[in-house]
Amino acid sequence: MLNGSNQGEVFLIGAGPGDPELLTLKALRMIQEADVVVHDRLVSKAILDLIPDGVERIDVGKKPNHHPVPQHKINTLLKDLAERGRRVARLKGGDPMVFGRGSEEAAVLRDAGIPVSFAPGITAAQGVSASTGVPLTHRGLATSVRFVTGHCRADMPLDLDWDGLAHVDTTLVVYMGHANMQHIAGELMQHGLPSDHPVLVVVNGTRPNESRLVTHLGALQTKRAVIAVPGPVLFIIGRVVSLLDGEGRAETNAILQAPELRQVLHG
Ligand SMILES: C[S@@+](CC[C@H](N)C(=O)[O-])C[C@H]1O[C@@H](n2cnc3c(N)ncnc32)[C@H](O)[C@@H]1O
């Protein structure tokens, strides 16, 4: 019995971008207290390995353009589990409230009277910033940072505030952007950013197989559309990319030779 009744509860937990050391203590405690874990595709194996033995796991992982478990069914699943008295850890990649639909799930649960609590996660932008040493803001280079989606609902055309985004002193971090990156680069240049404006591309950020590439808007715009990528991809666009240090740059250039990154950006 939980909460003095037969009703369970749901922990909405951010698992971070992959490195298990980026998990918060609160998130770890909630994972250990749950009796069922409902997790996404982006939650790394290293994090899933922290789930205690004997705890039920339900994989509702979504692949781009392919949704094995639609969102409304995930909402219903969480509600049903909690109504049956289960203590549910809803484990999501990065932070559940940054392009994570955590607030949609929370709204459905709250409407049903189910207690919800949150553990924030390190969002991909922060994880990648730390793993590469590239800051998101920096005096003289970036006075603000914006997290932007590169993908629209049901593959509708991207309709972003291009005028507002195309500022040299703003760092743009594009999530879910690989399929539309040519278009995004083109729009940003059309709205005033120079073609040599730097871009850092990071695949599998913070994971043992992290890959990086330094490029610029002009180069991105000329690449073929990308169909397949070997993992989640984040684009950091802005002058801060110039701060990737010598060592990081040398490493990045070596990683640039990696076949999977050639596939991402060189078609
Ligand atoms: C649906 S969004 C979820 C974002 C997540 N809630 C967060 O806060 O990081 C998925 C996108 O996040 C980015 N992403 C998540 N984890 C990543 C990682 N380890 N490396 C690079 N990009 C990542 C990618 O752009 C991916 O397409």
Side-chain angles (χ1 to χ4, degrees):
M1 284 249 281
L2 300 166
N3 307 315
S5 72
N6 198 28
Q7 188 179 60
E9 61 185 314
V10 176
F11 303 138
L12 269 163
I13 306 171
D19 177 353
E21 287 193 323
L22 297 180
L23 203 63
T24 65
L25 292 175
K26 182 167 183 166
L28 183 60
R29 174 181 59 74
M30 287 174 161
I31 291 169
Q32 289 169 341
E33 286 179 358
D35 53 44
V36 53
V37 175
V38 178
H39 68 87
D40 280 349
R41 180 181 60 91
L42 279 182
V43 178
S44 68
K45 179 177 177 311
I47 303 262
L48 295 177
D49 286 346
L50 298 172
I51 301 170
D53 288 345
V55 171
E56 185 185 355
R57 299 169 187 208
I58 303 175
D59 180 357
V60 292
K62 292 177 258 186
K63 293 194 176 123
N65 302 320
H66 179 68
H67 298 244
V69 183
Q71 186 64 49
H72 71 274
K73 288 204 171 150
I74 297 175
N75 298 346
T76 306
L77 172 70
L78 296 173
K79 185 165 102 48
D80 289 351
L81 286 167
E83 282 175 345
R84 278 188 266 135
R86 309 288 298 272
R87 183 176 271 167
V88 186
R90 173 68 175 115
L91 199 50
K92 294 162 109 42
D95 185 277
M97 309 296 248
V98 178
F99 302 127
R101 306 188 76 170
S103 45
E104 292 175 38
E105 293 175 8
V108 170
L109 295 165
R110 285 194 180 120
D111 282 352
I114 294 163
V116 182
S117 41
F118 295 89
I122 300 283
T123 190
Q126 295 170 295
V128 161
S129 172
S131 68
T132 61
V134 169
L136 299 176
T137 63
H138 186 88
R139 250 187 327 161
L141 291 180
T143 52
S144 63
V145 56
R146 291 184 70 176
F147 295 170
V148 181
T149 176
H151 172 85
C152 270
R153 187 189 287 233
D155 295 322
M156 300 282 286
L158 255 190
D159 184 21
L160 300 179
D161 166 24
W162 300 112
D163 261 336
L165 292 174
H167 277 278
V168 284
D169 54 3
T170 295
T171 304
L172 300 177
V173 184
V174 182
Y175 289 69
M176 299 169 282
H178 76 271
N180 286 324
M181 210 52 217
Q182 277 183 301
H183 174 67
I184 293 168
E187 290 282 2
L188 291 173
M189 289 190 293
Q190 218 175 318
H191 288 78
L193 286 182
S195 65
D196 63 353
H197 200 59
V199 182
L200 173 65
V201 187
V202 180
V203 184
N204 289 313
T206 81
R207 300 175 184 214
N209 58 346
E210 176 178 300
S211 310
R212 308 169 192 162
L213 170 67
V214 177
T215 183
H216 49 79
L217 286 179
L220 273 186
Q221 197 208 3
T222 60
K223 302 303 169 200
R224 282 207 273 126
V226 177
I227 309 296
V229 283
V233 191
L234 199 73
F235 296 82
I236 297 187
I237 303 173
R239 296 187 298 181
V240 288
V241 173
S242 64
L243 294 178
L244 191 67
D245 64 21
E247 206 177 299
R249 235 166 229 285
E251 192 190 338
T252 299
N253 287 336
I255 294 168
L256 170 55
Q257 307 307 320
E260 73 272 19
L261 263 189
R262 280 210 298 276
Q263 184 189 1
V264 173
L265 289 168
H266 296 272

